[in-house]
Amino acid sequence: MKRKPAKDTGEEGGGTAPGGIQALDAALSVLRVLRSFDGPAALSDIAREAGMPPSKVHRYLASFIHAGLAVQKERSGRYDLGREAAELGVAAISRNNFVVRASDELEELAAATGQAALLAVWSHNGPTVVRLERGPNLTTTSIGLGSTFPLLDSATGRIFLAYLPYPQLAARMHHELERAATTGVSWPDLNPDATSVEALTTKIRRERVAYVDGRFIPGLSAISSAITNWQGEIEVAVTLFGTHKELLEPGSATRTALVDFASRHSIAPPAQLGNSSHRAR
């Protein structure tokens, strides 16, 4: 669902903050509209949501393309956010205090467990990687800064599924459930329906970890835990991944180290981490 920004009042109208540049404010409103779409958008749709003439929006988009903030798809002619926009977003959310504090010890966690480690936060595109440590045993994967994860298929996504307030993830979760039901996909521990999701998230909150075995990336096992705020809601997911399935064993030292790491960087006491009540409806 799109977030509709305030309508542009034109370059002669009001609405500019004191000391601001009105043309720049208008341009940035176009960028916010582009961000609000779930994927590439047509010029006419962007112009309609921005409340501007298409010719004016086209000029702004051309400037964004030159700056790397937007791209235009060759076949469809639709517009989407560019690499520079993604890097700005990752840089901004990586300055989150929870991320900064956890980052200081992420390399140590990777070294101690022998696994690759990452930190992920929730963004417009879902769980997004903002820090990555390859660990002593180099794992070659396509995962990098800015990579995003699905909610149902990945350990990182599942920990957000269990600890993120429901309204923030509802649309994405239902989209993945509908797609799974349509294609006939199911998992050993999850059916594509809200009741099964509720059971899974209850288990994750009880055990304080989410895990998958070669589901998102074949051959890689992953386990994730939540760094939570004072309300017991997730701020950052910390995930360990590698080719050794031992990291998924309930009593493994790796699992214990991960949970201890997440607890140490959480504000809510560990006893409160399972008390959320915002799950799938």
Side-chain angles (χ1 to χ4, degrees), residues 19-33:
I21 301 173
Q22 193 166 13
L24 180 57
D25 289 341
L28 291 176
S29 73
V30 172
L31 193 61
R32 285 192 293 270
V33 167

Side-chain angles (χ1 to χ4, degrees), residues 43-44 47 52-59:
L43 174 62
S44 58
M52 299 182 194
S55 58
K56 181 178 180 181
V57 172
H58 182 267
R59 293 196 299 272

Side-chain angles (χ1 to χ4, degrees), residues 150-257:
L151 289 173
L152 303 180
D153 285 340
S154 67
T156 303
R158 286 183 167 196
I159 206 71
F160 278 98
L161 192 66
Y163 284 100
L164 194 70
Y166 178 77
Q168 291 182 244
L169 57 78
R172 185 170 295 274
M173 182 193 75
H174 287 298
H175 173 72
E176 291 190 25
L177 286 175
E178 289 171 4
R179 184 174 59 188
T182 299
T183 57
V185 173
S186 63
W187 303 270
D189 56 353
L190 179 66
N191 295 320
D193 60 69
T195 300
S196 185
V197 170
E198 175 68 27
L200 176 63
T201 56
T202 298
K203 178 176 183 289
I204 291 171
R205 294 195 301 273
R206 182 176 64 249
E207 297 181 353
R208 298 175 55 212
V209 293
Y211 46 84
V212 294
D213 180 4
R215 194 169 302 151
F216 182 58
I217 298 179
L220 281 185
S221 297
I223 185 168
S224 185
S225 192
I227 297 176
T228 56
N229 60 26
W230 50 91
Q231 293 179 299
E233 299 170 350
I234 187 170
E235 290 283 343
V236 184
V238 54
T239 303
L240 296 174
F241 61 97
T243 56
H244 301 294
K245 294 183 180 180
E246 301 87 80
L247 69 90
L248 303 182
E249 295 176 0
S252 71
T254 298
R255 181 167 175 165
T256 299

